Structures are given as C-alpha cells and as structure tokens.
Amino acid sequence: MSGSGKTSLLRILRGVEKFDSGKITLDDIEVSFDSSQYYYNKLRKDTAIHLQRSFGLWPETTINNVIRKLYGAKYGDEGSTDFEFAYDQFGDEAREILKVVGLEEKADHFAPVLSGGEKQRLVMARQLAKKTKSFTS
C-alpha cells in the first residue's frame, strides 16, 4: 500500500537511513537504531538493493521477473533463462517470494503496468531471489 514504508525499509536495509528502534543483523554486522555511522557504512557495503521502481525489471510478468532472478542467481545469466526448465525448478519458490511481498495475486500481471508501489515490491522480490545475504530482525 502507498505510504506503508517500502522505500524507508529499503533505505534502512541499504544503510542510508537511520531508524527509531530495533536492530538489523546481516551475517556479522549488527546495526541498531543508536549505532554509529561506521556500522551503517558496513551495512551499506554488504548490501545491494536497488531503489528505482523499474530498474532491472523485465517487460514481462511478475513471476517471470522473479524466476529470471532465481535462474540467474543459480546459473549466472538471467537473460538466457530457459523458462520451460526454470518454471519446474523455481516456480514454487517464485510464488512464495511473490507472496512475501504481497504480489501473489499479480503473478501473471505484466511489470510495466504495475503501480509504482507494486513495482517497488517486485524489485524487493527480485532482491530476495538473489539470495545474497540473509537478514534477521
């Protein structure tokens, strides 16, 4: 939903915005609301989250966007995704990721026609699919 804090959350996870309470743990980095800039900089160094709404989105369905990222994370090139193979291997995981970001009902919608907030959530889904680091809170 618009105004729910998606961009703020991404900025916090990216280490470029401070937060009011709680903590973020990323491997051996722990950042709490009262941490010094040094720890925010460490978090920024180890994360790669894109904040642009359409950066890196393919002009196809939301599920294909996530499947491409899962395929690329495993095989190194999402541009050459073999969807016949990839759906069998990554379809369930892609649906689960879309559920996490609240886009499960939009799996068959084309990315270019999503609202701005939905595009942001799809970018988040693709970041989750990269499996670069795991966050706990």
Side-chain angles (χ1 to χ4, degrees):
M1 181 181 330
S2 182
S4 65
K6 297 178 295 294
T7 299
S8 295
L9 175 62
L10 287 173
R11 290 180 56 79
I12 289 166
L13 295 176
R14 181 69 181 102
V16 297
E17 187 168 312
K18 296 195 180 243
F19 49 100
D20 297 328
S21 64
K23 68 179 178 178
I24 296 170
T25 304
L26 172 67
D27 293 338
D28 63 340
I29 301 167
E30 185 171 293
V31 180
S32 61
F33 69 96
D34 58 351
S35 292
S36 71
Q37 189 62 43
Y38 170 81
Y39 293 99
Y40 281 89
N41 292 344
K42 284 182 71 167
L43 182 63
R44 182 180 314 134
K45 184 178 177 227
D46 280 4
T47 58
I49 297 174
H50 301 289
L51 300 178
Q52 299 90 342
R53 288 186 177 158
S54 60
F55 182 79
L57 296 181
W58 293 84
E60 50 197 43
T61 64
T62 60
I63 195 159
N64 280 7
N65 267 275
V66 176
I67 286 175
R68 275 189 186 275
K69 187 56 78 175
L70 290 165
Y71 186 94
K74 183 164 186 177
Y75 299 110
D77 180 19
E78 68 180 84
S80 64
T81 301
D82 174 355
F83 283 104
E84 222 173 277
F85 168 78
Y87 267 93
D88 288 342
Q89 187 169 10
F90 303 113
D92 291 340
E93 186 176 2
R95 282 183 205 53
E96 187 58 35
I97 290 170
L98 288 174
K99 184 177 180 180
V100 167
V101 300
L103 288 176
E104 66 273 19
E105 301 298 322
K106 302 275 183 165
D108 296 322
H109 287 70
F110 284 88
V113 300
L114 297 174
S115 72
E118 290 167 339
K119 286 177 183 175
Q120 283 181 314
R121 287 187 277 153
L122 183 52
V123 169
M124 283 187 226
R126 287 177 47 80
Q127 291 297 318
L128 290 170
K130 281 175 62 172
K131 303 177 187 176
T132 53
K133 300 278 185 174
S134 57
F135 289 96
T136 60
S137 59

